[in-house]
Amino acid sequence: MTILVTGARGKVGRAVIDRLHAAGHTVRAASADPAHLTVPAGVEVAELALDRPETFTAALRGVRQVFLYPQPAGIHELVEAAEAAGVGHVVLLSSSSVLGPDAANDPLASHSLLVEQALAGSALTCTLLRPDAFASNSLGWAWSIGNSTPVRLAYPDAHIAPIHPEDIADIAVAALTGDSLTGRAVTLTGAESLTFREQLAVLADTLGRGIEVEHITRAEAEQEMGRHMPAPMVCSLLDLWQAADRHGPAVIADTTETLLGRPARSYRQWARENAAAFPTAR
């Protein structure tokens, strides 16, 4: 039985491939640009571009399970091709943002929600993994930390429960290789609620140097973030952080502890493992 992993160049996708292959499963890694994939020896690669349905048939040949990154473009055609190929189970890397009150109109949530809806209308058995904020989002602070400039935040005391990407990979592999999660929709978090200020304190302690936090206005944040992402996405993120700032500690949902019986990796562990991503500028 072949397991197809889409988004194979992503952090979670690569980790899923490595785990499945090490456990002896037949894995096919898919990417819109397979020539640039780096996979373990013995893992097949395939071209699959979600906005080019002509790539679907070959990529899905002989596949019974799919680990799917959310991409609305071509999703209905992909579902049809998966049904025709005899795929029995899809594990979707969705987002907890789909649970928001206006998810269909939210640029953060709608991307994943459209894929969830397409799968729900299919004959495929689906497992929906809905992680909250990734611990790796902290890499967005790397330039400021490396250059010893303040990390400027509109909501430095917003609470989140960041999840280690490796925990997501562990849960995804469990969903693909067992039946305890089959057909379920699970919201995933880390095991502790931390404000952005507290996360930066962990990073400062890990790196052994001070990190200054500067509280800025929302308007200033909109201007600065707007240099790197579309305005609707900026507004959606700031709305999310504003709500997290008001509501106090984040709710802890499912973790590797509740789903797999293994302690969740901590944010401090992520910081230690990724300290090299925050070099001091010279």
Side-chain angles (χ1 to χ4, degrees), residues 149-202:
T149 61
V151 176
R152 291 162 56 84
L153 298 169
Y155 303 105
D157 298 305
H159 289 260
I160 62 172
I163 183 170
H164 196 303
E166 297 288 336
D167 280 1
I168 301 172
D170 283 345
I171 294 166
V173 169
L176 290 163
T177 59
D179 57 11
S180 63
L181 296 174
T182 303
R184 294 175 58 185
V186 288
T187 302
L188 307 176
T189 67
E192 57 185 338
S193 176
L194 295 169
T195 66
F196 290 133
R197 195 187 301 274
E198 289 169 337
Q199 291 174 55
L200 285 161
V202 171

Side-chain angles (χ1 to χ4, degrees), residues 29 32 41 56 183 226-227:
F56 296 168
R227 297 171 190 153

Side-chain angles (χ1 to χ4, degrees), residues 54-165:
E54 64 271 18
T55 64
F56 296 168
T57 299
L60 289 165
R61 187 171 294 118
V63 168
R64 292 299 172 263
Q65 294 200 86
V66 176
F67 178 69
L68 182 65
Y69 268 52
Q71 171 55 262
I75 186 58
H76 292 287
E77 293 85 353
L78 180 65
V79 165
E80 292 176 1
E83 290 173 333
V87 171
H89 183 211
V90 174
V91 176
L92 174 67
L93 182 62
S94 186
S95 165
S96 65
S97 63
V98 301
L99 302 173
D102 193 28
N105 297 310
D106 186 306
L108 279 175
S110 59
H111 194 84
S112 295
L113 183 61
L114 288 169
V115 178
E116 284 198 13
Q117 290 171 337
L119 291 171
S122 77
L124 301 168
T125 298
C126 302
T127 299
L128 308 178
L129 306 182
R130 294 168 172 165
D132 204 36
F134 285 33
S136 51
N137 290 350
S138 298
L139 293 171
W141 299 326
W143 187 90
S144 294
I145 293 172
N147 286 275
S148 299
T149 61
V151 176
R152 291 162 56 84
L153 298 169
Y155 303 105
D157 298 305
H159 289 260
I160 62 172
I163 183 170
H164 196 303

Side-chain angles (χ1 to χ4, degrees), residues 264-277:
R265 295 172 176 86
S266 67
Y267 181 80
R268 185 173 293 275
Q269 178 177 343
W270 180 88
R272 289 196 304 266
E273 293 169 351
N274 291 274

Side-chain angles (χ1 to χ4, degrees), residues 228-243:
H228 310 290
M229 65 181 72
M233 188 73 73
V234 170
C235 288
S236 181
L237 277 171
L238 289 171
D239 286 347
L240 181 68
W241 296 338
Q242 182 180 46

